[in-house]
Amino acid sequence: VKYVGNPILLPDKPWEGDAACAPRVIWDPEYGKYRMWYTCFNYSAYYGTGPAVYYMAYAESDDGLHWVKPLMDVVPFGEWKKTNIVYLGARKDHIGRWCVAPGQVFRDERDPDPNRRYKMIGLDAQEHPRTGEVNTEINMVCSPDGFQWKLATERSILDHHSDTSNHVVYDPDNKRWLLYCRPAIY
């Protein structure tokens, strides 16, 4: 049955830009809540005026239907010191804007490093190893808590842009992660 209270999340904060979209939701047993990381999109920045085009914000819920956007000191944005933004990206793009297209977020219990407990696969600005240009490429960022994110490595996972939602699954038979993407080679 379709929930009559849809949509369950709207961009109602001034720093969220023009759209709150592409949610990634997990139940976090340690945290005791549903946790959502979603993309904010800013049209004015996309067309050249503004500090960030795409960036990642956070919401949480007890039931998966009613969401709270906690105000935190993680990423200030313009005049707002407390926001629910948790990641702008690793680098600014080639014209000086923050631009990350968050992908799948998941909790990885297999990683022995607690600073890498949460992982996200997505597009992030990265210096291309062959050309030295800053491009959006498939990267992994890690976090100990789902709030503070850092690049997992200085090299991208795949040094091509992928114009789709990137997704990973763990293959327990072969003990490896598999990436599903659609690389666009220019």
Side-chain angles (χ1 to χ4, degrees):
V1 175
K2 186 174 182 177
Y3 178 58
V4 297
N6 283 326
I8 60 170
L9 191 82
L10 290 168
D12 59 359
K13 306 292 185 209
W15 55 81
E16 288 177 303
D18 302 299
C21 56
R24 289 88 184 162
V25 178
I26 64 169
W27 167 255
D28 191 329
E30 189 173 306
Y31 200 72
K33 294 183 181 287
Y34 290 96
R35 301 182 75 188
M36 177 194 300
W37 294 267
Y38 62 95
T39 302
C40 295
F41 177 71
N42 188 319
Y43 287 110
S44 63
Y46 184 80
Y47 291 107
T49 60
V53 179
Y54 296 97
Y55 42 100
M56 184 167 64
Y58 173 82
E60 57 191 34
S61 172
D62 291 323
D63 61 7
L65 298 173
H66 304 92
W67 293 87
V68 174
K69 300 172 184 176
L71 297 180
M72 302 172 284
D73 293 323
V74 178
V75 178
F77 195 80
E79 64 191 71
W80 300 282
K81 302 301 177 216
K82 289 189 175 203
T83 69
N84 65 320
I85 299 170
V86 293
Y87 190 60
L88 287 176
R91 292 182 178 82
K92 291 184 177 182
D93 67 9
H94 64 284
I95 60 172
R97 304 169 302 182
W98 292 104
C99 187
V100 62
Q104 178 189 7
V105 175
F106 58 98
R107 191 176 155 91
D108 182 5
E109 298 297 335
R110 292 174 190 84
D111 197 320
D113 184 350
N115 290 318
R116 297 169 52 95
R117 185 65 60 228
Y118 296 87
K119 294 187 170 111
M120 179 186 67
I121 302 295
L123 293 179
D124 208 337
Q126 187 80 310
E127 186 174 311
H128 195 282
R130 291 189 300 272
T131 66
E133 294 176 9
V134 175
N135 298 315
T136 52
E137 300 174 351
I138 301 173
N139 287 293
M140 181 170 70
V141 294
C142 298
S143 171
D145 54 14
F147 301 117
Q148 305 284 337
W149 295 89
K150 292 183 180 179
L151 278 175
T153 65
E154 285 303 312
R155 297 221 27 185
S156 57
I157 291 174
L158 186 63
D159 63 354
H160 296 291
H161 183 83
S162 174
D163 65 346
T164 189
S165 183
N166 302 294
H167 187 73
V168 295
V169 294
Y170 186 72
D171 174 2
D173 294 336
N174 295 301
K175 296 180 177 51
R176 64 182 178 174
W177 290 93
L178 304 173
L179 169 67
Y180 293 88
C181 63
R182 183 171 56 192
I185 301 171
Y186 299 101

